[in-house]
């Protein structure tokens, strides 16, 4: 599917956005600098569960997401 990441003003600096399938294979990545939002399209990937990992400075945020039709 397509989804939008939005970052609040507290999150500054380079942001690395990675999406992995459940086997650990990287299926999407991008690096954001000062952007407050990011549109991500994984509709061309297999349906199922993925792991979204966002790294900002020394902090990592990890969330499971589901790609559905």
């Amino acid at each position: 599917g397509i989804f939008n990441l939005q970052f609040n003003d507290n999150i500054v600096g380079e942001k690395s956005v990675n999406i992995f399938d459940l086997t650990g294979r990287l299926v999407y990545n991008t690096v954001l600098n000062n952007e407050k939002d990011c549109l991500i399209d994984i509709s061309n990937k297999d349906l199922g569960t993925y792991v979204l990992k966002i790294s900002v400075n020394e902090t990592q945020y990890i969330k499971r997401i589901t790609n559905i039709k």
Side-chain angles (χ1 to χ4, degrees), residues 21-43:
D21 65 16
L22 292 182
T23 67
R25 183 175 56 100
L26 180 66
V27 297
Y28 178 92
N29 72 315
T30 191
V31 175
L32 307 172
N33 289 308
N34 295 321
E35 295 89 347
K36 297 293 182 199
D37 60 356
C38 174
L39 188 66
I40 295 177
D41 183 359
I42 58 168
S43 59

Side-chain angles (χ1 to χ4, degrees), residues 26 49 58 67:
L26 180 66
T49 302
E58 300 296 319
N67 187 23

Side-chain angles (χ1 to χ4, degrees), residues 1-2 42-48 50 66-69:
I2 300 172
I42 58 168
S43 59
N44 61 336
K45 305 298 180 196
D46 291 338
L47 301 181
Y50 291 83
T66 303
N67 187 23
I68 59 174
K69 278 194 171 184

